Amino acid sequence: DTAVSQTPKYLVTQMGNDKSIKCEQNLGHDTMYWYKQDSKKFLKIMFSYNNKELIINETVPNRFSPKSPDKAHLNLHINSLELGDSAVYFCASSQRLLTATDTQYFGPGTRLTVL
Amino acid sequence: DQQVKQNSPSLSVQEGRISILNCDYTNSMFDYFLWYKKYPAEGPTFLISISSIKDKNEDGRFTVFLNKSAKHLSLHIVPSQPGDSAVYFCAATDSGSARQLTFGSGTQLTVLP
């Protein structure tokens, strides 16, 4: 069984649309994350989240919002998509409450293309 | 301003030889460092880490060296195997206050048979 899964794997959409990427982890971890891998290949943290605290990277536009229906899921909603949102988005999880030294387990990524 | 830099986007090494991947950082508050490995169409997977209280950590064929004065770390793989061909990301954090990792841009390692 895949530890951290994301759907869809590929997402192609028009500018201005609203879309969601789903993430699920079956590791029983407390904390989940969303990363964006930009065109220069840097992996940049967007959000760190558990059921008590959300840490938002200040550079993330408020068009992006994480939504967690339960501890095992952290979905990423994006409103009014822009061309610059095209990237690969990775979900990840770790055992403890937002402790950066804990090993993070990544999903396979979702390649978003905005036309 | 990139606080973690991997200046070599690619590296090719012959099978059986040593691979050395380098990483530099600028934030003097960073005290915990990790290497992740990524195959195509997969997410990064944790490989090895090191705390700033050490200057070396070894796990099988993988050794990470930390030079705090130079703000430099390196990952040594010996002997290199074709299955090691992947993108390697360096990451760092300030474990005392920051709760997020800062990643470099990765180095594509190709191990030639």
Side-chain angles (χ1 to χ4, degrees):
Chain A
D1 277 347
T2 304
V4 182
S5 59
Q6 295 178 230
T7 54
K9 198 170 180 66
Y10 300 95
L11 181 54
V12 180
T13 187
Q14 297 288 331
M15 212 165 47
N17 284 349
D18 302 337
K19 289 293 179 185
S20 296
I21 305 172
K22 295 185 177 181
C23 178
E24 176 181 1
Q25 55 96 2
N26 62 9
L27 298 167
H29 286 169
D30 287 332
T31 304
M32 297 182 74
Y33 310 81
W34 277 105
Y35 286 86
K36 178 181 180 181
Q37 186 179 29
D38 61 24
S39 58
K40 294 183 179 178
K41 305 302 181 185
F42 286 96
L43 270 166
K44 295 182 179 177
I45 185 74
M46 300 177 72
F47 305 100
S48 303
Y49 182 80
N50 72 351
N51 61 355
K52 296 180 182 176
E53 189 174 3
L54 170 66
I55 297 179
I56 303 171
N57 184 317
E58 61 189 13
T59 66
V60 175
N62 57 15
R63 298 180 295 104
F64 290 79
S65 59
K67 297 217 185 323
S68 179
D70 54 57
K71 198 173 89 162
H73 297 84
L74 184 65
N75 303 326
L76 181 64
H77 293 264
I78 317 170
N79 294 326
S80 303
L81 278 156
E82 299 178 357
L83 294 176
D85 298 333
S86 295
V88 181
Y89 292 84
F90 290 96
C91 176
S93 71
S94 65
Q95 178 67 57
R96 290 181 293 173
L97 173 61
L98 296 173
T99 303
T101 55
D102 267 6
T103 299
Q104 294 185 18
Y105 294 82
F106 284 80
T110 295
R111 182 173 292 278
L112 171 64
T113 303
V114 182
L115 304 175
Chain B
D1 179 32
Q2 300 303 330
Q3 299 184 64
V4 177
K5 299 177 185 178
Q6 295 176 254
N7 292 318
S8 298
S10 63
L11 173 69
S12 291
V13 170
Q14 208 69 36
E15 181 178 5
R17 308 293 285 268
I18 185 171
S19 296
I20 300 176
L21 298 101
N22 293 304
C23 177
D24 297 293
Y25 61 96
T26 58
N27 188 338
S28 57
M29 297 302 292
F30 286 155
D31 62 356
Y32 193 80
F33 305 88
L34 307 90
W35 285 93
Y36 277 79
K37 172 175 155 178
K38 183 185 179 304
Y39 292 118
E42 295 182 12
T45 56
F46 171 74
L47 189 58
I48 193 169
S49 62
I50 188 167
S51 165
S52 60
I53 60 173
K54 295 184 175 182
D55 54 18
K56 175 183 173 181
N57 188 27
E58 189 173 352
D59 183 2
R61 297 185 297 113
F62 302 91
T63 303
V64 56
F65 294 91
L66 176 62
N67 182 333
K68 289 186 289 293
S69 61
K71 294 191 178 68
H72 176 83
L73 63 155
S74 60
L75 174 68
H76 293 214
I77 307 172
V78 57
S80 301
Q81 300 173 353
D84 296 330
S85 297
V87 176
Y88 289 79
F89 289 97
C90 173
T93 188
D94 165 13
S95 61
S97 60
R99 290 181 286 179
Q100 296 173 341
L101 295 176
T102 300
F103 280 83
S105 56
T107 297
Q108 170 71 56
L109 172 66
T110 302
V111 179
L112 305 167

